[in-house]
Amino acid sequence: TSHAAASSLYDFTTQTFTNCGATGSNGPTLSDCTSNDNYSASWTDNTSFFNIQTQGIQEWTVPEDGSYKIEVWGAEGGDGTNTTYCYGGKGGYAYGNKTLSAGDILYISVGQLGISNNDNSCSGYAGGFNGGGDGGTSTAGCPSQYAGPGGGGASDVRSGGTALGNRIIVGSGGGGGGGGTGSQNMYGGNGGGS
C-alpha cells in the first residue's frame, strides 16, 4: 500500500504488509509483525494505527484522505516430492487505486505458502493461511510420494469489515504441485487476481 502525500494521523509514505514470518495455515500475530523488519515505522507500534485482533488479519488505519495504490500477491502452492517436476503454482497478482478517508480501517490478510511434501507422510499437507486448500491423502497402500502438497493462501484487502463481501481486492493462491515421482510434469495451477 502506498500514498504520496504527508499524513495527518501519522507520517506515511508506503508499507509492505507481509506474513511476518508466519508459515502454514495460521496467520501472524501482532508480536510476529511488530518484531518483523518490514514493520519498522513508528506507527506500527501504535495499536490505534496497526493491530491484529484476530490472528492473521492485519488492521491498518488510513492516515489521510486520498487515493492509495494497493497491490496484492497470493502465495505459491507447496511443492511435490519431486521438486524437479512437481512445483506448486504461483500466486496471483492484482493492483488498483482506492480512495480512502483518514480513520478508515483496512483488513489485510497475506496468504502463506502451502506446505510442501518433503517428509514423505501419507496424509495431505496443509494449505497456506487464508484459504489454501489441503493436499490430497495417499491411498492404495500409501505410496508416500503421492501425498499432495497444500495450495497457497490468497492475499486480500477488505474495507468496512472482515466478511468475504467486504473484499476490495484479491490475489488468489497457487495450487499445490503434484505428488508423483519420476519425470511426470505435475505443476500446480497459477492463481488469478481481481
Side-chain angles (χ1 to χ4, degrees):
T1 303
S2 63
H3 180 65
S7 64
S8 58
L9 294 178
Y10 54 89
D11 289 335
F12 179 84
T13 303
T14 187
Q15 174 66 30
T16 299
F17 294 89
T18 71
N19 63 16
C20 306
T23 60
S25 57
N26 295 313
T29 64
L30 182 60
S31 63
D32 290 334
C33 289
T34 55
S35 63
N36 188 282
D37 289 342
N38 284 330
Y39 293 78
S40 59
S42 61
W43 60 264
T44 63
D45 293 325
N46 184 333
T47 56
S48 295
F49 304 137
F50 176 75
N51 203 357
I52 297 178
Q53 297 181 73
T54 300
Q55 186 172 352
I57 301 175
Q58 301 177 48
E59 300 175 20
W60 174 61
T61 301
V62 175
E64 179 180 89
D65 296 354
S67 179
Y68 290 78
K69 182 178 181 181
I70 300 172
E71 298 177 277
V72 292
W73 286 264
E76 183 175 343
D79 293 333
T81 300
N82 186 337
T83 57
T84 302
Y85 300 103
C86 302
Y87 290 117
K90 301 294 184 193
Y93 169 76
Y95 74 94
N97 293 308
K98 175 81 172 158
T99 300
L100 300 168
S101 299
D104 287 351
I105 298 174
L106 295 185
Y107 301 90
I108 301 162
S109 295
V110 178
Q112 293 174 189
L113 177 70
I115 302 299
S116 295
N117 180 351
N118 56 11
D119 65 0
N120 295 323
S121 171
C122 297
S123 298
Y125 295 80
F129 169 72
N130 205 30
D134 293 341
T137 299
S138 291
T139 59
C142 188
S144 60
Q145 64 269 25
Y146 293 121
S155 293
D156 69 66
V157 178
R158 303 174 195 207
S159 178
T162 59
L164 286 176
N166 295 112
R167 285 178 164 177
I168 60 173
I169 193 166
V170 180
S172 65
T181 60
S183 60
Q184 308 97 328
N185 290 326
M186 296 189 298
Y187 302 116
N190 294 329
S194 64

